[in-house]
Structures are given as C-alpha cells and as structure tokens.
C-alpha cells in the first residue's frame, strides 16, 4: 500500500499512549533500537501476558543475551539440517492422513505438524505429549469470557490457571529427562549463572510457542497460494531439488512471507521514552511496527499485492529493511533457519504427493486476534488429488 504514515498515535492499554509505525525508513530506527529504548519483554507481554513465561522472544538485556548465546548453536543453519530426518519422518506420517478429492483446510494440518516438530526438537515430546501441550496452549491463547467476579469470568480464570499448572508440569518433566541430551536444557545449565529448571522450562515453552504458529501459518499460506497459481505449483514440483537448496521454492517462500508475514505487527514498549525522529514517545508508550504495510509498500515493490515469486529474480531493488517477516538486526528471529527449512519440507512433501486446486471463491485475507500474530480469516481450503505413482 502506498502513502504510508510512518507514525500514527492511538490509545493503548490502561490509558498508555500507543504508536503505530510503518515504512522501511522507520524500520531502520525500530530494529536498531536497544532494549532499553524499545523493550521486547514489555511488547510481547502486551500480546501474550506472562502465561507462557519468558525466553528468547520476550526477554531483554543481560538475560536475553546469555540465553541467546547458549541456545543459538542449536538453531544455526548447520545445526538445523541435522533435524531434517526427524522433520521428514513426522511429515511422512502426517501426509498419509490428508483426505483426497475433497477440500481440506490446510492450516490446522500444517500447524499440527509444526507443533509436533517443535515439541519433539525442543522438549523431546512424543506425539501424545505434544497433543496435550498444544491443547493447553489453546486454552492460554483464548481470552477468558466475562470479567472476574462473574460466573463466566471465574470459570475462564480457573481454566487458564489449570492449563498453566499442567503446562509447567509437562515441561518440568521434559527438563528432568533431557539433562544429558545436547539441547536447551544442557546448554542453559552450562551457563556461568545457570537458570533454575522452571526458567529452563519457560525457555522451552517460548521456543515452541514462537516456532509453531509462524511455521504452520506460512506453510499453509504457501500451499494455498500455489493452489491458486497452478503454473507456479507445477514449476516447484518439477524443480525436484533438495527443499533446502531449491531456488524456486525459496523465492515462493520469500514472496509468501512478504505478502503474509506471520507477525503482522511487532510489539514493543518504550520504557523511558524515545525520539523516533518524526515523533518523541513518552515513557511507557506502546509501539507497534507494521510488517504487513511495509512489505506491501508500492514505493518499494512493483504490483505489491500480487503473488510474484520471480520478482526476486527480476532485478527489483529492495532495501535492507523492506523485508522483515522475521524481524531484523541483533534481535532477528533465532529460529529463522529451522522455521524456513521446515516450511519448505512441508510444502515439498505435499507437492510430491498431491496436485492442489483452490475452490472458486474470494481471496482469503488475514486477521489478528491479539494485535500481532495472524490467522486466515477463513479456511485455507484446497482440494488434494493424488499424483499417480507418488506416495
């Protein structure tokens, strides 16, 4: 969209000022800010509260730096490729369950796969444990109905409290049994000032939370877009390369993340206030950066609302901060390599087995129920027809 307003004031929670930002120029200031200028912890607490605890996504300062340094070796590109067989095994079983010849909503399928993978890799969970944990996440992500003091509000609060207790029990069990494995538990315990097991469990919770929604969403969106663009679908199917090194698949994934970033808005707070150049924010202000608006800016992208994967091979120039679906700078998403590879593996596995057709209907847009993460406004329905000779 053109004519972006780089700073737009509004009312936030509890009477605090809220400012919306957009545009590549503003992105440079936003992503370059230090934690004491724009707080991740304060921002994500606006979205998730404290029900999931704190980890790489929603910590600031020395603790964030220590935990990130400990965990990043597990998330680097070279380490992530070692997980490919695990992801493929989970995928192979899941793809067999897809119904043929009738429209199916891809989003629940890809989210289930992504959650199972994250729970296995970060917490060592089997499928039954992952299924229970996901149901608990659902309770914690669903706002309670009614105010405290009313029957509905009290029931909702009790359900959330029970889910929180059970989630902590599950994750503590995982921490105890993973102590000797090379993973988050051992690496966090090896820090000079190691966190207690409850905090290690919270770090694992945040790794799962931050990974499964974005990966599941982008995988479903890309498959749905390919169902609407059969020529692009066939090109990707014929590419036949390792999904981790397939340029057409890479371009299609990047274009999907541009059109439909899994985090439409990135939240922060300004603890001490901050000068953004065009505006000075007061202490305690809430700040939301619009990834969606920035990535659909007609000043940067030709035909910005169109799905054109080959734009990245056609000489279009995009500045450093024009594409930030996974953040940017020193706080870029640490799981970017794992999430990207996993999405490509999911898409490649489905394309190998099925030809995808999108039912006739309007373009399905995104909605955000919490002000940051997105979900499709309607089912991403696709008809799957098995390709002869493909399993």
């Amino acid at each position: 969209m053109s004519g972006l307003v780089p700073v737009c004031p509004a009312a936030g929670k509890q009477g605090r000022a809220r400012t919306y930002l957009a545009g590549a120029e503003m992105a440079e200031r936003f992503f370059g800010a230090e934690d004491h200028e724009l707080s991740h912890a304060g921002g994500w607490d606006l979205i998730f509260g404290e029900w999931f605890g704190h980890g790489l996504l929603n910590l600031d300062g020395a603790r964030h730096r220590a935990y990130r340094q400990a965990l990043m070796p597990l998330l680097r590109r070279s380490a992530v490729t070692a997980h490919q067989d695990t992801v493929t095994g989970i995928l192979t079983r899941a793809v067999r369950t897809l119904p043929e010849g009738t429209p199916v909503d891809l989003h629940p399928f890809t989210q289930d796969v992504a959650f199972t993978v994250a729970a296995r890799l970060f917490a060592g969970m089997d499928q039954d444990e992952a299924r229970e944990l996901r149901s608990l996440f659902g309770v914690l992500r669903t706002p309670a109905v009614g105010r405290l003091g009313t029957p509905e509000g009290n029931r909702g609060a009790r359900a959330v409290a029970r889910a929180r207790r059970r989630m902590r029990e599950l994750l503590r069990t995982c921490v105890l049994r993973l102590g000797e494995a090379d993973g988050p538990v051992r690496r966090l315990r090896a820090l000079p000032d190691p966190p207690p097991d409850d905090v290690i469990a919270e770090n694992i919770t945040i790794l799962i939370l931050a990974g499964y929604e974005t990966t599941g969403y982008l995988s479903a969106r890309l498959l749905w877009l390919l169902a609407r663009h059969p020529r692009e679908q066939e090109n990707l199917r014929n590419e036949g390369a390792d999904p981790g090194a397939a340029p057409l698949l890479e371009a299609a994934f990047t274009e999907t993340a541009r059109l439909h970033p899994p985090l439409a808005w990135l939240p922060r707070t300004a603890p001490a206030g901050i000068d953004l150049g065009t505006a000075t924010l007061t202490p305690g202000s809430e700040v939301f950066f619009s990834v969606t608006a920035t990535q659909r800016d007609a000043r940067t992208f030709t035909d910005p609302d169109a799905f054109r994967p080959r734009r990245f091979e056609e000489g279009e120039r995009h500045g450093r901060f024009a594409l930030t679906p996974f953040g940017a700078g020193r706080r870029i998403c640490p799981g970017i390599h794992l999430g990207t590879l996993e999405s490509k593996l999911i898409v490649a596995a489905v394309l190998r087995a099925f030809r995808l057709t999108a039912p006739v209907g309007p373009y399905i847009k995104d909605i955000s129920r919490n002000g940051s993460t997105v979900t499709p406004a309607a089912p991403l329905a696709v008809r799957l027809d098995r390709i002869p000779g493909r399993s």
Side-chain angles (χ1 to χ4, degrees):
M1 60 183 68
S2 60
L4 296 178
V5 179
V7 177
C8 180
K13 293 184 178 181
Q14 299 176 349
R16 290 178 294 192
R18 174 176 290 183
T19 299
Y20 293 96
L21 312 176
E25 298 84 1
M26 189 59 69
E28 185 169 7
R29 181 72 179 98
F30 179 82
F31 290 112
E34 298 290 333
D35 289 348
H36 68 273
E37 296 178 300
L38 291 178
S39 167
H40 286 67
W44 286 108
D45 281 349
L46 297 172
I47 305 302
F48 297 126
E50 298 188 0
W51 290 116
F52 295 94
H54 289 85
L56 291 186
L57 177 71
N58 56 348
L59 280 174
D60 293 331
R63 278 205 302 162
H64 170 264
R65 290 192 295 272
Y67 296 169
R68 189 175 180 111
Q69 184 176 10
L71 296 174
M72 276 307 297
L74 301 172
L75 299 168
R76 291 196 181 107
R77 192 190 304 272
S78 57
V80 162
T81 55
H83 301 313
Q84 189 160 334
D85 288 345
T86 298
V87 178
T88 300
I90 292 171
L91 257 175
T92 300
R93 292 188 292 273
V95 168
R96 293 186 186 130
T97 69
L98 285 169
E100 302 175 42
T102 183
V104 57
D105 184 0
L106 289 172
H107 192 221
F109 167 76
T110 56
Q111 285 223 310
D112 185 62
V113 170
F115 195 100
T116 303
V117 169
R120 175 76 57 81
L121 296 183
F122 298 130
M125 288 185 165
D126 61 28
Q127 191 164 357
D128 289 339
E129 291 172 318
R131 188 177 294 114
E132 181 183 4
L133 184 64
R134 189 177 175 196
S135 71
L136 296 171
F137 273 36
V139 174
L140 296 175
R141 293 295 307 276
T142 303
V145 177
R147 296 182 179 180
L148 285 177
T150 67
E152 296 82 4
N154 291 342
R155 279 196 296 270
R158 287 194 295 270
V160 167
R162 285 194 300 270
R164 170 73 166 152
R165 285 195 300 270
R166 180 56 183 153
M167 181 184 71
R168 295 180 73 173
E169 290 171 2
L170 277 175
L171 270 299
R172 279 198 297 265
T173 299
C174 294
V175 169
L176 291 175
R177 74 185 181 204
L178 291 174
E180 300 305 315
D182 184 19
V185 178
R186 196 172 84 176
R187 288 181 177 270
L188 288 171
R189 283 179 176 171
L191 287 170
D193 183 19
D197 283 356
D198 280 351
V199 174
I200 293 176
E202 289 185 358
N203 273 270
I204 293 174
T205 303
I206 294 299
L207 286 171
I208 296 172
L209 175 67
Y212 93 93
E213 276 197 318
T214 55
T215 300
Y217 171 77
L218 283 173
S219 302
R221 263 295 176 189
L222 176 49
L223 287 168
W224 183 79
L225 285 166
L226 292 174
R228 291 174 62 91
H229 295 82
R231 181 176 297 178
E232 295 288 354
Q233 178 186 157
E234 202 60 28
N235 288 339
L236 263 63
R237 184 177 291 111
N238 293 334
E239 190 170 27
D242 175 359
L248 295 182
L249 180 55
E250 170 70 23
F253 175 82
T254 303
E255 178 71 338
T256 301
R258 182 192 70 81
L259 277 173
H260 295 282
L263 302 175
W265 297 89
L266 293 176
R268 304 284 191 271
T269 58
I274 184 174
D275 182 2
L276 293 173
T278 56
T280 300
L281 307 188
T282 57
S285 294
E286 300 171 4
V287 185
F288 285 76
F289 178 78
S290 177
V291 180
T292 302
T294 302
Q295 294 184 166
R296 291 198 183 202
D297 187 351
R299 297 172 299 179
T300 305
F301 297 98
T302 303
D303 200 5
D305 295 327
F307 178 67
R308 281 182 45 203
R310 294 181 186 272
R311 72 172 67 246
F312 300 104
E313 301 173 358
E314 294 172 352
E316 284 191 17
R317 294 185 177 274
H318 318 114
R320 178 185 173 192
F321 293 100
L323 280 169
T324 58
F326 306 104
R330 61 188 180 81
R331 293 293 298 258
I332 193 170
C333 173
I336 183 173
H337 299 305
L338 176 59
T340 300
L341 176 62
E342 189 181 341
S343 284
K344 292 176 181 177
L345 290 171
I346 292 172
V347 170
V350 174
L351 290 184
R352 276 196 302 270
F354 299 103
R355 182 162 285 106
L356 283 58
T357 307
V360 176
Y363 194 94
I364 297 170
K365 297 182 180 181
D366 295 323
I367 58 173
S368 178
R369 294 185 173 89
N370 61 16
S372 179
T373 61
V374 298
T375 190
L380 295 178
V382 168
R383 177 188 167 107
L384 303 173
D385 292 297
R386 189 169 294 278
I387 299 173
R390 304 287 183 94
S391 58

